[in-house]
Amino acid sequence: MPLAHAAPLPHDVPLLHIVDGKEIIPGDNSWLARCGRFLAEPFTSAWRNRDLIAAILRRELRERFSGSVAGWVWAILAPLLSLITYTLVFSGAVKLPNNADASSPIDYALFVFGGLIAFNFFAEMAYRAPSLLHEYAHYLKQTMFPAHMLPVISTLRATTYATIGLVLMLLCQLLFSGSLHWTVLLLPLWYIPFLAFLLGLTWLLSAMGAFTRDTAYLMMTISPVLMFATPVFFSHESLSPDLMRLMYLNILTGFIEIIRDLVVFGRLPNMLVVAWTMFLSVFMFWFGYWFFRRQQDSITDVI
């Protein structure tokens, strides 16, 4: 009995080949096509691996407080205690660090807490990223594990705790002020670029950390110092014009200014600041991804 011949695929359907564990899709190899594939790759890859990302993320969130009786209560209690402490300490302040008048007893606390949300979000990623691939070395060595998805999972994990702090911030403002500024509706425009920056940073630091432990020691040294070079407890507006421009080289300055404008002051951020943070976020996202993918072939040999 003759074998049936398979119907040929349409010409517009790309063929998928696996070469040395990599997915290769033949097609247009012009520089414009390669650029388009590179720009789309982080998103298409995350979509293909969405089930794996969700499964590992759920496990990491469960293990964060494993063995604890209170469990997730600690994720809420820690930022809540910080916010209560700042409220009690600064409740009598009538002027904010930028010399603006405080409209409620909690304004000063929100001013500081907003800066801490952004900085702690960054610090959690900076501390963990250099050792991230070492944590999953057994997966990377034994299976065809998509290593470039680990920074995505780590960033989503940190996003969960940052979101809890942000929700508490909004609830406290609503409780003490009786209302929220309409500008809080624009918070996604703060969140998305910040996530892009942190994800790119995690790709970069995790790839560097796979080759040398010095990356972890460097971040443990820099992060505490950076906290005092970032306007968390003070306002960059109180600095001289030259120092203020220098402060904007620290991308966290822009993100902290934006979240304070949207939540505390209820005003639109400076468009130059928004444009600058957007530029740095996009650059870090794509540079970090490019650097990680460039080093990925060697990562499993060194961890």
Side-chain angles (χ1 to χ4, degrees):
M1 184 175 181
L3 295 175
H5 294 284
L9 291 174
H11 294 294
D12 57 348
V13 175
L15 295 175
L16 181 65
H17 298 289
I18 305 297
V19 179
D20 294 332
K22 294 182 180 180
E23 296 179 355
I24 307 296
I25 302 178
D28 187 358
N29 287 319
S30 66
W31 71 268
L32 188 60
R34 291 197 302 271
C35 182
R37 287 196 294 270
F38 171 75
L39 294 178
E41 187 178 338
F43 308 102
T44 57
S45 183
W47 178 254
R48 286 196 306 270
N49 293 284
R50 61 190 182 278
D51 293 334
L52 178 65
I53 292 173
I56 297 179
L57 180 61
R58 283 195 299 268
R59 193 197 69 180
E60 287 210 348
L61 292 176
R62 283 196 306 267
E63 291 181 350
R64 177 67 180 261
F65 300 104
S66 61
S68 168
V69 176
W72 273 84
V73 173
W74 294 113
I76 301 174
L77 188 60
L80 182 60
L81 286 177
S82 297
L83 190 52
I84 291 174
T85 301
Y86 297 138
T87 302
L88 294 176
V89 171
F90 300 117
S91 60
V94 295
K95 289 284 188 180
L96 299 181
N98 64 343
N99 291 323
D101 294 330
S103 58
S104 73
I106 202 175
D107 273 2
Y108 204 116
L110 293 177
F111 185 93
V112 174
F113 194 67
L116 279 175
I117 288 175
F119 185 84
N120 288 340
F121 198 0
F122 158 80
E124 181 170 353
M125 303 305 303
Y127 281 129
R128 191 188 184 199
S131 60
L132 180 61
L133 298 181
H134 294 278
E135 293 180 26
Y136 286 87
H138 56 293
Y139 284 129
L140 301 179
K141 290 181 177 181
Q142 297 177 9
T143 63
M144 294 300 298
F145 192 87
H148 59 295
M149 289 295 103
L150 288 175
V152 176
I153 297 168
S154 180
T155 305
L156 292 176
R157 175 179 180 263
T159 301
T160 304
Y161 306 115
T163 301
I164 291 174
L166 184 59
V167 170
L168 285 174
M169 183 179 180
L170 296 176
L171 288 176
C172 286
Q173 186 179 45
L174 183 61
L175 178 64
F176 282 84
S177 304
S179 64
L180 294 174
H181 300 295
W182 71 268
T183 48
V184 299
L185 298 174
L186 301 178
L187 277 173
L189 301 181
W190 169 81
Y191 238 129
I192 294 173
F194 202 18
L195 285 176
F197 167 74
L198 293 177
L199 183 51
L201 181 68
T202 306
W203 270 319
L204 177 65
L205 293 178
S206 60
M208 293 173 60
F211 293 94
T212 173
R213 298 281 184 172
D214 292 336
T215 307
Y217 299 134
L218 178 64
M219 297 314 300
M220 286 189 289
T221 303
I222 289 178
S223 294
V225 176
L226 187 61
M227 185 174 188
F228 296 98
T230 302
V232 175
F233 298 102
F234 65 93
S235 173
H236 66 286
E237 296 176 31
S238 61
L239 303 175
S240 66
D242 291 337
L243 283 177
M244 188 185 300
R245 285 191 289 270
L246 183 62
M247 186 68 70
Y248 278 116
L249 294 178
N250 177 2
I251 188 173
L252 296 178
T253 299
F255 283 118
I256 289 174
E257 179 179 339
I258 291 171
I259 191 174
R260 284 170 174 167
D261 283 340
L262 296 179
V263 178
V264 181
F265 300 115
R267 65 192 182 194
L268 294 176
N270 185 303
M271 289 298 104
L272 289 177
V273 175
V274 172
W276 175 241
T277 54
M278 286 287 292
F279 168 76
L280 291 179
S281 297
V282 171
F283 173 80
M284 178 56 72
F285 180 85
W286 294 115
F287 177 76
Y289 184 74
W290 169 83
F291 185 85
F292 189 99
R293 295 296 273 174
R294 185 177 179 85
Q295 306 298 328
Q296 189 166 347
D297 291 343
S298 304
I299 285 175
T300 54
D301 297 328
V302 295
I303 59 174

